[in-house]
């Protein structure tokens, strides 16, 4: 069953300028399970064409529209996403 939703308003409204935290995707830890892309309320996490050391096509996000909510980091079962302070 697919639960992916359509991208929300942040696809129209860029969030980068006011974001306090940003996700850092640790590509070598990514197992390509896809949970982060299904949980992101903005629908901006996607699978790249690049592979990590384990041969997995790792996931990343479009920071232009990321609001820094941290849900992806909380839900990643492999601790492959860390939230860090946004540098202004
Ligand atoms: S939830 Fe974590 S391990 Fe799964 S695709 Fe996303 S970053 Fe990779
Ligand atoms: S921090 Fe929130 S908005 Fe940004 S990629 Fe993660 S789940 Fe999506």
């Amino acid at each position: 069953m697919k639960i992916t939703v359509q991208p929300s308003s942040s696809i129209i409204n860029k969030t980068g300028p006011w974001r306090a935290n940003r996700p850092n995707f640790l590509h070598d830890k990514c197992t390509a399970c896809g949970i982060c892309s299904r949980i992101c309320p903005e629908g901006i996490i996607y699978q790249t064409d690049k592979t990590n050391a384990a041969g997995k096509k790792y996931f990343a996000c479009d920071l232009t529209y990321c609001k820094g909510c941290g849900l992806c980091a909380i839900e990643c079962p492999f601790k492959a996403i860390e939230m860090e302070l946004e540098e202004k």
Side-chain angles (χ1 to χ4, degrees):
M1 177 179 74
K2 282 192 171 184
I3 58 170
T4 306
V5 297
Q6 291 299 311
S8 71
S9 60
S10 287
I11 286 295
I12 300 170
N13 305 314
K14 294 181 179 178
T15 56
W18 55 258
R19 185 180 54 232
N21 299 291
R22 65 160 60 196
N24 178 25
F25 285 72
L26 308 174
H27 302 314
D28 280 340
K29 287 188 172 182
C30 182
T31 65
C33 68
I35 290 174
C36 55
S37 68
R38 295 195 291 275
I39 207 79
C40 175
E42 304 305 329
I44 53 163
I45 299 179
Y46 59 94
Q47 189 169 27
T48 71
D49 287 332
K50 300 173 184 169
T51 54
N52 61 18
K56 301 291 185 181
K57 288 185 177 177
Y58 56 78
F59 280 62
C61 79
D62 186 343
L63 285 170
T64 306
Y65 303 105
C66 169
K67 62 185 179 184
C69 67
L71 278 176
C72 54
I74 292 170
E75 295 299 329
C76 173
F78 302 99
K79 307 296 182 199
I81 306 171
E82 292 179 344
M83 295 305 292
E84 52 187 35
L85 280 176
E86 184 72 40
E87 293 185 20
K88 300 292 182 186

